[in-house]
Every structure is written in structure tokens, then in C-alpha cells.
Amino acid sequence: MERTIYQALVGWKDNPHRKPLVLQGVRQCGKTYTLKEFGRKEFEQCAYFNFEKDKNLADVFKYDYDTDRIMKELGYHTADKQPIGEGCLVIFDEVQECPEAITSLKYFLEEKPGLHLVAAGSLLGPAIHHQRLSFPVGKVEFMTMYPMSFTEFYQATEASTELSLINSYALDRPLSETQAARMKRMLKEYYVVGGMPEAVQRWVDTRSVSEVDKVLDDILESYSHDFGKYLSAAEALKVGWIWESVPVQLAKENNKFVFSHVKAGKRSNELEEGLNWLEKAGLVYKLCLVSSPELPLSFNADTTYFKVYLSDVGLLRRRCGMTADTILQETPLYHTFKGAFTENYVLNELVKLNFRPYFWRSANSSEVDFIMEDHERIVPLETKAEGNTKAKSFGVYCSRYNPPLGFKLSMLNVGCNHVGHTFAYSLPLYLLWKLPRYLA
């Protein structure tokens, strides 16, 4: 399965001024597979080292930071025991297990500028946040990998060039009924499977929901295992409470995250660090309130009022215990949670497009699901799970702030109209990946 991040890795490889690369991402989102494929396709030699599986590797870095010595000794840890040349791709995986290997990146940049070195890890964010790791400032580049987006899922499951064709359409051109029906079906499948590469591969191989669910259950269990492995017993307990609470709180009508609903008798100051850990690990995203949409949005955000979403819709579905038929057949039991589930999908896709959205709510409870910055403007996006695009709150926002551009996301086909002075596109949820073209 070709990943979008692969092209970013190629760009890094070809940059003559590159620095050692730090690849972050939630556990099992495909970092190791992608890096190994990158090494196999783009390099004559690739040396892979996993600090979690081979505890002896850390000893190589504990003597000194002589890069010639380190390279020589690492060669003995490769399968063919061969010296590592500067034209090689060197992968330090699960590098959070060896802080000294992180420190060595500075010396590799200074002494081995021709070396292609990538350090990867699933829990680098929490490790940095808790000051277990200190990256050499200015000496490394960072890149983040996410679960597969809807388009990556589509390309993995359908041997089709249809996405390229659709991408070439004029922005106001609707899809044909056949295309729209196919894209809707694919989006529902994505809601069921999600974007974790192993789950997607299992779906491609078997088309069995039960097989997908086994993979998702294993991934969720591995996350819970990480709580106990990298945190104290007291911290792991709090993180577990919050982790269990996220889908429950999403199902509430206004889905604001309330710490007092996590565990009876517990206050926010006791649980905040646990939520921060989950966020730094990439398992959840916080969406903060902005009441006064002015640039920069980050300066106007209320960090005490927020919603919390999971990083993958497949995992969210499994965490909620929803069956595939509930989504695929759109049973009435899905109605209550459908809105929050759709918002989770939209937020995931926006993050993968490198946007950092917020939500807007006025004093009289009008609410726009997402607002975000784009080229010195603030763009509102209203989300509907089905074809209903009547959005009173969107109209209130547009009449009050007169944004030049806005989007109504739903299952309706492509269209456009004016809401007050705002030019508003109707953009299908399954075409959200085209958003950068509309913004441009």
C-alpha cells in the first residue's frame, strides 16, 4: 500500500541540506513498514535497528558519541555483519527506548552529513513531554505519520484511477450518480475499517468484518499495554479512565469533554496530565472552542473548553461496540451517534491535510463544527452526517463575521451558493480530500 508520506520521505532523501529525520506517529500506523519499503526501493543498502526488540543496541551509544565507532559497532548488529556506508538508509526504530541514540543525531549531522538517518518511535511525543528525551534543537527534522486517510484506503482497496479523474474535475462539477454511490459505499467501508494499515490489509485480503475486528481489538489492547509499560501504576490508571471515557463523552449531545464525567470524585487537575499523555501519543485530538474568531485562532482559543476525538474512526467504532451493519445499513440505532462519528472522521482528515481546526460557539448556543486558518482568512466548515445541509448556525456565523469562503460538508453532491456574503461550497464528505484545491 503506497502511503502519502512516502513522497515526503523521497523529498527528504533528495534534499542536499537534509538533517536526520524524526518520524513520529501512533503505534501501528505503518511507520516501520513504510520506512523499510522506502529503504528497499530507494537505497542500495538499508540498516534497520529496533531498540525495543534488541536491548543490547543501547550499549553501542553509552560509551561515547564517536560516529565512526558507532557505525562500525552497529554493523555487527546487521544480518550480514557488513559495515554501514554513508549511502545507506539507517533506521533507528522505537528510539524512545534509548535517549543516547537521540543525542547522537547531532553528531551524525555534523560528522556524517551524507548519511540518511531516520529515527522513529510510537511514543516520542509523551517521552518528550515528560522530559525523558531531549532532541538536539535545530539538528533534526520532524515528520508525523497518521493512520491511512480515506483516499489511501480507497487506493488500497480499489485498483482504480478514479480519484485522479475526480481530482481533475472543475470545482463546481458534481459527480455522476454512479460515482457518488460508489464513493458513499467506500466511505461507509472506511468508517467500518478505519485507517490502521493492518486492518486495511485484512479487509483487502478477506473482506471479513470479523477479521478486521480481531486486528482492531489487538491494536486497542496494545495501546492499553503501553499505558502500563510507560507510565506509573497511578498514571496508567488515570490514562485508562480517560481513554475509556472519550467515546462515551462523544456520544453526549454537545460532546464537550468534562473531566468530572471521567471518574466520580476526580477533578481536572488530577486528570489533565493523563489526557495530555494520550494527546502527545497521537491517540486522541483535542478540538478547542473559539468564541471570537480572530487571527491567530490559537491566541483566541479557550483551552479549558474542548471536545476530544479518537485518531481513527475504525478504532472509534470498535471502542463503541458498533457493528458494521449499524453503519453499512444505517440502522436507526446509529442515528444519535452518527453526527459525532462524522465529526471525528472530518477532524481526522483535516489533521492529515495539515490543518489545525477549532470549533465556534456563540453565547446563544449557535455552533459551527470547525473553523480553521488558511492564508490569513478564517474558513468555517459545517458538518452533516447525511444530505441535510440546512445549517442555521452556519448562517449565523456567516452573517456575523462575513467570511469570504465556507463549506457545508455532507453526503450531498458538489454544489455552491451564497450564504449572505459568503461563497459556500457544498462538498461531499467523501471529497474532503479535495479541500486544498477549493481553498487554493
Side-chain angles (χ1 to χ4, degrees), residues 108-129:
F108 276 108
L109 174 65
E110 295 170 351
E111 300 171 15
K112 304 285 184 184
L115 186 69
H116 295 78
L117 176 56
V118 180
S122 302
L123 294 167
L124 291 174
I128 298 168
H129 182 67

Side-chain angles (χ1 to χ4, degrees), residues 243 246-247 283-285 308-312 315-316 319 344 348:
W243 180 239
V246 171
L283 294 175
V284 302
Y285 300 133
V308 180
Y309 297 88
L310 261 60
S311 60
D312 179 70
L315 293 176
L316 175 60
R319 285 287 314 281
N344 205 126
N348 290 171

Side-chain angles (χ1 to χ4, degrees), residues 2 41 81 120 202 234 245 293 317 336-337 359 370 410 438:
E2 204 72 10
K41 292 181 179 180
K81 312 295 183 187
R202 191 68 61 89
S245 180
R317 177 190 66 82
T336 302
F337 194 60
F359 75 99
F370 302 100
S410 72
Y438 285 87

Side-chain angles (χ1 to χ4, degrees), residues 1 10 31 38 150 175-176 335 375 385 425:
M1 299 174 192
V10 172
K31 297 184 300 298
F38 176 57
F150 171 62
L175 272 60
S176 70
H335 178 76
H375 294 92
Y425 277 105

Side-chain angles (χ1 to χ4, degrees), residues 20-198:
L21 178 66
V22 176
L23 181 63
Q24 303 179 90
V26 68
R27 188 180 291 280
Q28 299 192 47
C29 71
K31 297 184 300 298
T32 300
Y33 174 85
T34 301
L35 287 174
K36 286 183 173 181
E37 281 295 287
F38 176 57
R40 184 179 67 83
K41 292 181 179 180
E42 306 292 335
F43 294 85
E44 292 185 7
Q45 183 185 14
C46 176
Y48 173 80
F49 306 98
N50 188 310
F51 289 88
E52 189 173 59
K53 291 183 177 179
D54 187 351
K55 302 298 183 183
N56 295 323
L57 283 173
D59 294 336
V60 175
F61 295 85
K62 289 181 178 177
Y63 181 66
D64 60 26
Y65 292 111
D66 182 332
T67 54
D68 286 322
R69 178 194 63 79
I70 290 173
M71 293 280 280
K72 182 179 179 181
E73 292 188 19
L74 285 177
Y76 290 112
H77 287 267
T78 61
D80 54 9
K81 312 295 183 187
Q82 292 299 310
I84 299 172
E86 287 208 358
C88 175
L89 174 67
V90 178
I91 302 169
F92 292 167
D93 205 358
E94 301 300 349
V95 74
Q96 73 271 3
E97 301 290 336
C98 182
E100 293 83 2
I102 294 291
T103 304
S104 75
L105 300 180
K106 168 187 175 182
Y107 299 97
F108 276 108
L109 174 65
E110 295 170 351
E111 300 171 15
K112 304 285 184 184
L115 186 69
H116 295 78
L117 176 56
V118 180
S122 302
L123 294 167
L124 291 174
I128 298 168
H129 182 67
H130 284 73
Q131 299 183 330
R132 284 184 56 238
L133 298 181
S134 177
F135 283 90
V137 178
K139 303 294 184 179
V140 297
E141 299 177 40
F142 286 90
M143 195 178 293
T144 302
M145 189 170 185
Y146 303 100
M148 297 171 74
S149 66
F150 171 62
T151 52
E152 290 174 327
F153 172 82
Y154 187 99
Q155 290 165 335
T157 54
E158 295 282 319
S160 169
T161 59
E162 185 170 32
L163 294 186
S164 296
L165 176 65
I166 292 172
N167 197 38
S168 69
Y169 287 176
L171 298 183
D172 60 351
R173 176 179 171 178
L175 272 60
S176 70
E177 289 185 12
T178 302
Q179 287 175 317
R182 184 160 50 246
M183 295 296 283
K184 285 179 184 178
R185 174 180 59 81
M186 291 299 299
L187 182 60
K188 288 180 184 178
E189 290 183 10
Y190 180 67
Y191 284 175
V192 170
V193 177
M196 303 306 286
E198 188 179 351

